[in-house]
Amino acid sequence: MRFGYPWLLVLLALVPVLGIAASFLRLRREKALVRITACPPKTPLAWLQALLLMAGLALVVVAASRPQWGVEAFSQTRRSRNVVVVLDVSRSMRAKDVYPDRLRRAKSDIADLVDALVAEDDDGRIVRDRCALVAFRSDAKTVCPLTDDQAYLKEMLKTIDENSASPGETSLGAGVEKALALIRAEDGGGEAKSDHSAIILVSDGGDLANWAVSSAERARKMGVPIFTVGIGDPQKGATIPLEDGGTVRDAQGNEVVVKLD
């Protein structure tokens, strides 16, 4: 047997002291009563009461010291999935062909996804998949590393805007490469197969850098599937609003209309 707090057992030495003190006080009280009454009190169970009191105090001390016994050793393997959400924050994501605009709609859908990354395993235990957030434009930035802290993940999701990555030509490949780097770091590096990771790419398309296919090929070799989620209208498209109330125009002064590609 072992104790969680063995130092509390020192208090057992105080139990008989308290018992003696209680008996002394009882005797003194009885002598005082003898002086003022002709019939002294009869307390045949006083000593039994004192013994029970000391036994109770001793048991309280022993319980507080947390006695423990028995050891059970077992091994358990649990591994959650790694989900990296890659979000397009390019200027075209300002378009309002979905409500309230493409970027805010995407963030709302991602928040719903985060809530869904919780499940029960075969033993009834709650398992939270780890998720990371990557924002990309001409390059890609890690907004949130892989974590199962859903509250923190949602707070970081709220901070994503057009300034979360460097401006320039939209590069889907940059977003995919950053996601693969996070997955490789989690798996210890290298290009080994990863059967518990996935990338979710949320964008309106328009890969201007033109190296997304080679990045997707690297993901295939690693065994990491890429699920693409398109945001926007593929038929009519929409203009890109500016903060001053105008819209983005090309060199000839025509409004730029962006469609889901």
Side-chain angles (χ1 to χ4, degrees), residues 45-169:
L45 299 179
W47 294 107
L48 178 60
Q49 291 174 351
L51 289 175
L52 291 176
L53 177 62
M54 288 189 292
L57 290 174
L59 291 175
V60 168
V61 171
V62 172
S65 65
R66 293 186 61 193
Q68 303 167 7
W69 61 88
V71 177
E72 180 182 0
F74 62 94
S75 60
Q76 181 181 17
T77 302
R78 295 173 60 192
R79 188 161 196 176
S80 59
R81 295 172 295 183
N82 299 320
V83 180
V84 182
V85 178
V86 181
L87 177 58
D88 186 351
V89 294
S90 61
R91 190 165 56 174
S92 62
M93 293 291 283
R94 294 181 184 175
K96 298 181 181 296
D97 47 358
V98 294
Y99 180 82
D101 59 41
R102 294 178 181 180
L103 181 57
R104 284 186 285 177
R105 172 60 181 272
K107 290 170 63 173
S108 176
D109 291 343
I110 293 171
D112 291 339
L113 168 68
V114 171
D115 290 333
L117 295 178
V118 179
E120 288 189 3
D121 62 11
D122 295 337
D123 297 325
R125 293 183 293 258
I126 298 297
V127 178
R128 289 180 171 84
D129 293 332
R130 287 168 291 188
C131 185
L133 296 175
V134 171
F136 74 93
R137 290 180 70 181
S138 64
D139 62 2
K141 305 290 185 183
T142 301
V143 178
C144 179
L146 283 165
T147 179
D148 59 3
D149 188 337
Q150 291 178 300
Y152 174 70
L153 196 63
K154 286 186 175 181
E155 286 301 314
M156 297 307 296
L157 177 62
K158 292 177 183 178
T159 67
I160 294 180
D161 57 21
E162 190 176 333
N163 299 315
S164 297
S166 301
E169 294 184 335

Side-chain angles (χ1 to χ4, degrees), residues 180-194 218 221-222 224:
L180 291 177
L182 291 174
I183 293 171
R184 281 195 295 266
E186 185 68 19
D187 291 340
E191 300 288 336
K193 286 282 187 177
S194 178
R218 272 189 286 276
K221 291 179 179 179
M222 289 177 60
V224 178

